[in-house]
Amino acid sequence: QMQLVESGGGSVQAGGSLRLSCAPSANTIDNRCMGWFRQAPGKEREGVALIYTGASTSIYTDSVKGRFTISQDNAKNTVDLQMNSLKPDDTAMYYCASRAARWAPCRPEWLSSAAFDYWGQGTQVTVSS
C-alpha cells in the first residue's frame, strides 16, 4: 500500500502562484508515474500533469501548459506542482496519484485518472478574481 500526502493548497488571487507537494508516507517515488488531478464542484475529475520519475518526463493537460510545472525532488522524495498565473477556473480540490511505470514513461491517456492505483486525500486550491 502507498499512502500519499498532499500539502501546499490555499487561497490566492488571480495571477498568483501556489506550490503543491506530494509525499508518499513510506515508499519511494522511483520508477513510478506520479500525477496531479483536480476536481471542481459539479465537475468530473481531470488530469492536470503527469511525471515519470525514472526520467523526469512530463505530460500536461492543455489548459495548464505554460503555467504549471510538475517536478520531482529525489532528495525529499516528493513530487511538486508549481502553479503560476492562476485563474479562477483553476479552483478545485487537487489530488496526487501514483501508479507503477514499469520502466516506461507515463502515457497521455493516463490523464483520465482511471489508470492510477493510489490517491491522496486532496488539498484545496481557491483562486479569486
Side-chain angles (χ1 to χ4, degrees), residues 79-128:
V79 172
D80 300 331
L81 185 69
Q82 177 66 41
M83 305 185 295
N84 299 328
S85 302
L86 282 161
K87 305 174 181 179
D89 284 349
D90 295 318
T91 295
M93 185 71 78
Y94 282 70
Y95 298 91
C96 177
S98 176
R99 61 158 288 153
R102 296 183 177 86
W103 303 108
C106 307
R107 300 175 184 175
E109 57 265 33
W110 292 354
L111 283 169
S112 71
S113 86
F116 283 76
D117 304 306
Y118 301 103
W119 293 85
Q121 295 298 308
T123 184
Q124 179 67 38
V125 171
T126 302
V127 184
S128 58

Side-chain angles (χ1 to χ4, degrees), residues 31-122:
N31 188 30
R32 299 196 69 82
C33 180
M34 304 289 294
W36 282 97
F37 295 79
R38 66 186 180 187
Q39 187 167 20
K43 295 186 178 181
E44 292 186 355
R45 185 163 54 188
E46 66 167 340
V48 175
L50 308 178
I51 187 168
Y52 168 51
T53 59
S56 295
T57 52
S58 55
I59 298 171
Y60 297 90
T61 193
D62 287 345
S63 63
V64 307
K65 286 180 181 177
R67 300 189 298 123
F68 291 10
T69 302
I70 189 170
S71 61
Q72 64 188 89
D73 187 327
N74 292 332
K76 296 180 180 179
N77 199 43
T78 62
V79 172
D80 300 331
L81 185 69
Q82 177 66 41
M83 305 185 295
N84 299 328
S85 302
L86 282 161
K87 305 174 181 179
D89 284 349
D90 295 318
T91 295
M93 185 71 78
Y94 282 70
Y95 298 91
C96 177
S98 176
R99 61 158 288 153
R102 296 183 177 86
W103 303 108
C106 307
R107 300 175 184 175
E109 57 265 33
W110 292 354
L111 283 169
S112 71
S113 86
F116 283 76
D117 304 306
Y118 301 103
W119 293 85
Q121 295 298 308

